[in-house]
Amino acid sequence: MANNNFFLGIDIGSTASKCVIVDGEGNVIAHEKKDSGAGTPAPRETVDAALASCNITEDDLSGICATGYGRNLVKATNEAARQVSELSCHARGAASLFTDVKTVIDIGGQDAKVLRIDDKGNLENFVMNDKCAAGTGRFLDVMAGVFGCKVSDLSKLDEQSTETTSISSTCTVFAESEVISKLSAGNPIPNIVAGIDESVVSRTAGLARRVGIVPKVAMVGGVALNDSLRRRLEKEIGYPIITSSFAQFNGAFGAALIARDKYAAGSRKVAEKSSVS
Ligand code: ADP
């Protein structure tokens, strides 16, 4: 495919908007993220910033594909062709981002999923937790708020732990109260963070065991950036877990590659008529 073809993938999440532009060869030429999600100006702003960074306009795009919680924000003449489930996008993205990956763990702001994929990035099976915030990025965001730190600081805090102060509440609201009372009782913050990470790890490992863990295992989504949590999860499931600094863009990357696949399969007409609201 010509290298002057450009494809946009946008993942409008519950907490963050991510967008990726790939060229005709599937190489990433731009990526942008804003820490606000569906219903905010962030999706539009990430798209504008990504287009500007490679000096093109929306008219230069040969295809757009949207995924995530707010994917219906992308207007299209053919909805089926333009909006793709996060599962398919994460499967497609992970198969390109990593080599020989069979199990993909995605923990985002609102849900946690474990996917089994084949060599081509097709989804074979999955399980997900989307009914409550426990075990998701939201749970970690709430706990970071209790400590008055950023969610990106939790990993370093966990590294300083000397033991694990376990958190027994399974509901985020009750767990928040439990964390506050453990703090008041004098437990060091790093040990409580270790307990919080263990709580996410045990939920995620439970999902992974349900779907069946086949190596190689990769972790994507924003929570993959939490190194301490990922290392604890490796220990718990008994397999190394690979990841990438690009992990949070995996869904948007997969969406861009799917837009490219569709274009290659001849859906050019649909691609030309779509736009991002
Ligand atoms: P969504 O698509 O639902 O918006 P993401 O995959 O973008 O979810 O992940 C968002 C979550 O990732 C946040 O809720 C937060 O807990 C976590 N996160 C984001 N950035 C970091 C970081 N630098 N370090 C650790 N965790 C992070």
Side-chain angles (χ1 to χ4, degrees):
M1 197 185 298
N3 235 350
N4 58 356
N5 285 114
F6 302 108
F7 302 90
L8 171 77
I10 177 157
D11 177 3
I12 307 175
S14 58
T15 58
S17 304
K18 288 80 58 178
C19 106
V20 170
I21 297 176
V22 299
D23 65 16
E25 309 272 294
N27 302 309
V28 175
I29 56 164
H31 64 286
E32 293 289 340
K33 173 179 86 96
K34 285 210 182 281
D35 287 328
S36 312
T40 73
R44 181 70 253 175
E45 288 167 6
T46 54
V47 170
D48 289 342
L51 291 169
S53 77
C54 44
N55 211 17
I56 59 171
T57 70
E58 215 162 299
D59 292 340
D60 298 315
L61 296 170
S62 299
I64 300 173
C65 177
T67 192
Y69 182 66
R71 62 180 177 269
N72 57 353
L73 293 173
V74 173
K75 287 186 201 136
T77 48
N78 181 335
E79 301 290 309
R82 294 289 128 234
Q83 297 177 20
V84 176
S85 87
E86 265 190 275
L87 293 165
S88 305
C89 291
H90 276 298
R92 182 72 176 86
S96 290
L97 198 55
F98 310 105
T99 316
D100 297 332
V101 159
K102 299 284 186 302
T103 309
V104 181
I105 298 168
D106 165 39
I107 312 183
Q110 165 164 282
D111 59 32
K113 330 178 197 33
V114 183
L115 288 62
R116 286 273 305 281
I117 62 171
D118 70 14
D119 296 337
K120 295 195 175 84
N122 299 309
L123 188 64
E124 287 182 327
N125 196 6
F126 74 95
V127 286
M128 75 188 285
N129 155 33
D130 62 354
K131 292 225 166 62
C132 84
T136 70
R138 175 79 192 131
F139 181 80
L140 296 164
D141 296 345
V142 167
M143 300 312 165
V146 173
F147 304 127
C149 70
K150 292 194 214 132
V151 73
S152 52
D153 297 331
L154 292 179
S155 182
K156 285 255 160 1
L157 284 167
D158 186 348
E159 272 171 25
Q160 294 159 23
S161 62
T162 49
E163 56 186 81
T164 301
T165 302
S166 52
I167 304 299
S168 56
S169 308
T170 48
C171 159
T172 304
V173 177
F174 292 144
E176 185 182 10
S177 309
E178 189 180 345
V179 164
I180 292 167
S181 74
K182 301 253 164 165
L183 263 180
S184 324
N187 291 283
I189 289 178
N191 294 356
I192 304 176
V193 173
I196 289 166
D197 282 352
E198 279 301 332
S199 141
V200 174
V201 161
S202 86
R203 283 181 164 258
T204 311
L207 290 179
R209 289 190 188 106
R210 269 170 56 203
V211 82
I213 307 165
V214 178
K216 294 177 180 175
V217 182
M219 189 166 170
V220 296
V223 177
L225 300 170
N226 186 327
D227 288 332
S228 297
L229 191 149
R230 187 173 41 78
R231 281 194 293 269
R232 286 181 183 276
L233 187 56
E234 284 183 325
K235 238 188 231 168
E236 178 64 29
I237 66 169
Y239 290 103
I241 301 176
I242 50 176
T243 191
S244 152
S245 55
F246 203 59
Q248 198 174 1
F249 290 91
N250 185 61
F253 179 45
L257 293 176
I258 288 173
R260 178 177 168 268
D261 295 346
K262 286 186 188 300
Y263 180 85
S267 59
R268 179 175 197 153
K269 220 171 159 196
V270 172
E272 283 171 351
K273 285 184 183 165
S274 54
S275 69
V276 180
S277 63

